[in-house]
Amino acid sequence: MKILALASAGGHWIQLLRLAPAFEKHEVIFVSTKPKFAETVKDFEFYCIPDTNRNDKSGILMGIVKIFRLVLKVKPDVVITTGAAPGLIGLVAAKCIGSKTIWVDSIANVEKFSLSGRIAQKFSDRVYTQWPELANEKSIFEGNVLI
């Protein structure tokens, strides 16, 4: 199975790396917003994408184009992301080509899902929360990746 593992910089990337043992025995392609992160996944194919957010209208357009192109190139079976906006864009692109999608909401979202997480709940195949209080009919709690 080919997995595209995508996350923005910071805590999103750290949380994605904590999930990496679950990807053993699969082809994994990592994607993030900082070129230097390639050093943290030396044994894997790595792509850098533009960082974007909802406040950067021109940047988000460029991000959408680059992420869609990457997903079309890689043709993953599964896209998993720990956020944020670039991860959500990756899930949308993946759904367009029929790939399975998994959203893991950041552990930082203690009281409610992130905006991207709430959007992912509408179409993603699986959505995980890292807090039992946030689990509902659209999201699953199976523990957390940092604690």
Side-chain angles (χ1 to χ4, degrees), residues 126-139:
R126 289 276 173 106
V127 174
Y128 290 93
T129 175
Q130 297 188 55
W131 296 101
E133 299 82 6
L134 297 180
N136 58 38
E137 68 280 352
K138 296 178 182 174
S139 63

Side-chain angles (χ1 to χ4, degrees), residues 28-69:
V28 182
I29 298 102
F30 284 96
V31 181
S32 190
T33 56
K34 298 281 187 190
K36 68 180 181 181
F37 287 173
E39 297 171 16
T40 62
V41 290
K42 288 181 181 174
D43 296 333
F44 298 92
E45 192 173 351
F46 176 85
Y47 292 93
C48 187
I49 56 171
D51 197 5
T52 187
N53 63 62
R54 63 184 165 185
N55 299 321
D56 179 15
K57 305 299 183 219
S58 62
I60 203 163
L61 182 59
M62 180 178 288
I64 288 169
V65 170
K66 291 195 173 194
I67 294 166
F68 266 75
R69 282 185 181 160

Side-chain angles (χ1 to χ4, degrees), residues 15-34:
Q15 292 172 68
L16 184 68
L17 293 181
R18 294 284 178 101
L19 293 170
F23 309 149
E24 288 181 12
K25 301 180 183 175
H26 299 286
E27 179 183 358
V28 182
I29 298 102
F30 284 96
V31 181
S32 190
T33 56
K34 298 281 187 190

Side-chain angles (χ1 to χ4, degrees), residues 41-142:
V41 290
K42 288 181 181 174
D43 296 333
F44 298 92
E45 192 173 351
F46 176 85
Y47 292 93
C48 187
I49 56 171
D51 197 5
T52 187
N53 63 62
R54 63 184 165 185
N55 299 321
D56 179 15
K57 305 299 183 219
S58 62
I60 203 163
L61 182 59
M62 180 178 288
I64 288 169
V65 170
K66 291 195 173 194
I67 294 166
F68 266 75
R69 282 185 181 160
L70 177 61
V71 170
L72 287 171
K73 175 182 175 182
V74 172
K75 295 181 178 62
D77 299 301
V78 176
V79 174
I80 183 166
T81 182
T82 51
L88 181 63
I89 295 166
L91 292 188
V92 172
K95 285 307 274 187
C96 289
I97 65 167
S99 302
K100 296 292 185 189
T101 56
I102 302 171
W103 175 271
V104 180
D105 211 48
S106 173
I107 196 166
N109 302 315
V110 176
E111 296 182 1
K112 65 179 186 177
F113 268 82
S114 63
L115 175 60
S116 295
R118 291 192 304 269
I119 294 169
Q121 285 179 325
K122 297 181 186 302
F123 70 88
S124 191
D125 294 298
R126 289 276 173 106
V127 174
Y128 290 93
T129 175
Q130 297 188 55
W131 296 101
E133 299 82 6
L134 297 180
N136 58 38
E137 68 280 352
K138 296 178 182 174
S139 63
I140 303 163
F141 172 75
E142 292 287 342

